[in-house]
Amino acid sequence: MSDEFGGIMSINLSGMKAVLLTDLTAIREAFLDKADSFADRFNHPLNEYVNGVKGSLIFENGKGWKLHRRMTLRALRNFGMGKRSLENKINEEARCLARSFQDENGRPFNPQPTVQNAVANVICSISFGSRYDYDDPEFRRLLDYIKVFMEQLSGPSLVGAFPRLWFTPLYKSLKNQNDECRTFLRGLVEQHKDSFDTNDIRDIIDVHLQENEEGGAEENIPQSLIWRGIFDLFAAGTDTTSNTILWGILLLTQYPQVQENVQQEIDDVIGRERPPTLPDRLHLPYVDATLMEIQRFRPVACFIPPRAASVDTELRGYTITKGTQVWANLYAVLHSPEHWKDPEEFIPERFLSADGKRTETREAFVPFGAGRRICIGEQLARMELFLFMTNLLQRFTFKIPKEDPKPNLAGEHGITLSPGRFRICAVTR
Ligand code: HEM
């Protein structure tokens, strides 16, 4: 459609007017040059019905959101985003994941549940100080719910088009699971309250409790709503990163030469025994380029959660009226022939300098969005992708089982683009 109508279009989305941005210039103009006018999220009625908007990091707007975002960013940094302490924790989790792959003894298995659990454990340990065994049935139910939530509750879904369906028997089971998830998170906040010690701030829930204790300012998230922001971190931080790792595994089975090059570079720089460290990344340009190409080729956030114009604004010669929802199509930018040669090919070398010794990032590489609401977990996600993938590829070569059909690389669309169900054999190197 953008070939015909250009990089900015107006579409009718389930009866609501929406503006769709598909080229980088329009996205940059809106989210960077006119950042003040497009920093709000659009509030789809479904958000209100499912978990409410108040206390949400993703959906709230205005002063409350700004303070919440600032506080969470500070907390993420304090709890190790980009630091050695968190590196150790992620490496430990990656070793657990590798052990569970090892237990399959080269037999075919679906890697989704364990990869999702391993990634969830990282955000859980920062948010509420716990990790869960991969066979914990209660946590498995929550993770299954998050997966279905991400698959079924996007704006362009059935319930997105007819939000009141949420209250009908059609969604009863999902609604029950959502209630269970909420109860679980509220329970964690209660437990934290009982054991709270202002001299020992353990995780993000404690940071919230401390803010409340110290400030009591109006802008603080009330205790009864702390669970809401934690839900956002849990949902946004789990399926995005785990689906990117799953895409990585799947794509490497389809591009064995890339897999071999990645393993060779890891062998040369780190070897097979020592755990990877963040500074290693600088010496692993091919690995780094491959991770970027995975995110470009199959970006899990094809669309950002829609923004809204907070005032009447001019954009590329059109007037966008206050309140209109604005969707940015990141997939289109990451696959635009204007920015990428042979965009439908998987070529990690596109991110390497001419001598192959450095990675070169590109203006059109925007898998985490842009501007005021750019992903808050970008640095954490990049750490996880690097450490999990490097740990796994030190130990295994991934293959699709001989008896399985060639996997479909189109993916399945929900809030995130997932690779769908597939099986692999993890062959010990
Ligand atoms: C590969 C992994 C990830 C990808 C591709 C990704 C992508 C995105 C994108 C595209 C947005 C919207 C940005 C915009 O509006 O411009 C976003 C927002 C957000 N992400 Fe991520 N994300 C990832 C991992 C994470 C992690 C690990 C966390 C947890 C800390 C996280 C938490 C959030 C939150 C809370 C927001 C909303 C920010 C706001 O509205 O102020 N994300 N992410």
Side-chain angles (χ1 to χ4, degrees):
M1 278 166 74
S2 54
D3 284 346
E4 194 175 340
F5 301 111
I8 173 164
M9 286 174 265
S10 168
I11 56 169
N12 181 323
L13 200 61
S14 326
M16 289 185 280
K17 189 165 160 194
V19 169
L20 179 58
L21 308 178
T22 60
D23 80 28
L24 184 63
T25 322
I27 291 173
R28 288 180 65 87
E29 183 176 329
F31 298 164
L32 297 174
D33 303 342
K34 297 188 171 149
D36 281 342
S37 311
F38 292 102
D40 280 0
R41 291 262 180 234
F42 175 67
N43 271 324
H44 195 284
L46 190 59
N47 299 334
E48 196 56 68
Y49 295 164
V50 177
N51 276 322
V53 166
K54 231 176 153 13
S56 164
L57 196 48
I58 303 179
F59 297 115
E60 214 175 5
N61 293 323
K63 204 167 161 202
W65 159 73
K66 250 190 217 160
L67 290 164
H68 193 175
R69 183 175 166 107
R70 212 176 295 149
M71 187 202 91
T72 307
L73 260 177
R74 222 178 22 242
L76 283 171
R77 290 199 188 106
N78 284 346
F79 292 114
M81 193 158 78
K83 288 191 195 153
R84 215 53 212 257
S85 52
L86 188 57
E87 174 190 291
N88 291 339
K89 212 172 256 178
I90 300 174
N91 272 336
E92 258 168 51
E93 194 60 54
R95 271 196 293 278
C96 293
L97 182 64
R99 259 198 306 277
S100 93
F101 279 20
Q102 188 73 53
D103 290 345
E104 302 291 343
N105 278 322
R107 287 186 300 265
F109 69 101
N110 170 10
Q112 190 277 333
T114 43
V115 170
Q116 187 198 23
N117 200 325
V119 169
N121 276 343
V122 175
I123 193 68
C124 290
S125 76
I126 302 175
S127 305
F128 45 82
S130 318
R131 83 168 283 284
Y132 298 86
D133 286 339
Y134 301 160
D135 53 7
D136 181 318
E138 192 193 358
F139 196 58
R140 183 72 257 148
R141 268 183 68 74
L142 282 185
L143 292 177
D144 286 344
Y145 168 66
I146 293 294
K147 184 169 180 297
V148 179
F149 177 93
M150 292 305 236
E151 283 164 3
Q152 296 197 4
L153 296 187
S154 62
S157 62
L158 180 67
V159 67
F162 305 104
R164 294 202 70 82
L165 284 178
W166 181 247
F167 300 107
T168 67
L170 201 58
Y171 284 90
K172 187 160 185 260
S173 142
L174 209 53
K175 193 166 175 295
N176 288 344
Q177 275 178 282
N178 185 58
D179 291 344
E180 222 177 281
C181 190
R182 203 189 298 206
T183 307
F184 171 79
L185 294 176
R186 281 189 172 139
L188 287 171
V189 176
E190 284 302 315
Q191 286 165 17
H192 275 65
K193 229 166 63 186
D194 294 342
S195 55
F196 178 72
D197 173 358
T198 190
N199 297 312
D200 178 22
I201 300 304
R202 301 158 293 186
D203 46 42
I204 295 186
I205 293 186
D206 272 355
V207 173
H208 276 287
L209 293 172
Q210 190 182 35
E211 296 266 317
N212 278 335
E213 187 144 291
E214 283 175 359
E218 266 172 44
E219 295 86 9
N220 285 344
I221 312 282
Q223 231 166 67
S224 60
L225 283 177
I226 293 177
W227 71 273
R228 183 65 189 84
I230 301 294
F231 178 91
D232 282 358
L233 286 180
F234 185 48
T238 299
D239 267 37
T240 46
T241 313
S242 60
N243 275 324
T244 307
I245 292 173
L246 290 166
W247 272 120
I249 292 174
L250 182 62
L251 288 167
L252 292 184
T253 66
Q254 301 307 294
Y255 295 87
Q257 187 56 55
V258 175
Q259 178 161 210
E260 220 179 293
N261 297 349
V262 165
Q263 288 169 326
Q264 187 61 55
E265 196 177 58
I266 295 174
D267 285 355
D268 293 346
V269 176
I270 311 178
R272 299 206 186 166
E273 300 300 327
R274 172 172 78 73
T277 65
L278 294 176
D280 284 332
R281 193 175 190 137
L282 272 178
H283 307 290
L284 294 164
Y286 193 85
V287 173
D288 207 15
T290 303
L291 294 176
M292 288 200 246
E293 181 64 349
I294 292 165
Q295 287 204 276
R296 183 203 70 82
F297 191 70
R298 287 296 176 265
V300 291
C302 291
F303 289 95
I304 64 166
R307 307 274 191 91
S310 53
V311 285
D312 288 355
T313 312
E314 181 96 349
L315 186 65
R316 307 280 295 283
Y318 298 96
T319 302
I320 317 287
T321 47
K322 181 178 169 181
T324 306
Q325 55 181 311
V326 178
W327 290 71
N329 183 344
L330 301 183
Y331 189 97
V333 176
L334 293 163
H335 283 252
S336 159
E338 207 184 304
H339 302 289
W340 311 96
K341 187 166 178 292
D342 301 324
E344 301 310 324
E345 303 291 324
F346 182 73
I347 312 174
E349 288 78 1
R350 67 172 86 246
F351 286 104
L352 287 177
S353 58
D355 62 6
K357 291 192 174 147
R358 290 174 289 114
T359 43
E360 288 181 343
T361 187
R362 311 264 293 268
E363 196 192 21
F365 183 64
V366 286
F368 294 99
R372 297 265 157 86
R373 294 201 86 131
I374 192 169
C375 176
I376 207 173
E378 172 174 357
Q379 220 188 337
L380 172 62
R382 285 173 37 81
M383 267 177 96
E384 291 185 76
L385 295 179
F386 173 71
L387 294 172
F388 275 116
M389 287 301 277
T390 311
N391 266 288
L392 291 176
L393 289 157
Q394 267 181 319
R395 294 167 173 79
F396 305 106
T397 298
F398 296 116
K399 295 187 171 148
I400 294 294
K402 282 200 185 69
E403 61 271 34
D404 286 6
K406 195 174 159 50
N408 173 4
L409 297 185
E412 290 174 6
H413 285 271
I415 295 179
T416 49
L417 176 69
S418 88
R421 194 187 147 84
F422 67 97
R423 298 196 308 167
I424 50 157
C425 297
V427 181
T428 309
R429 298 180 63 208

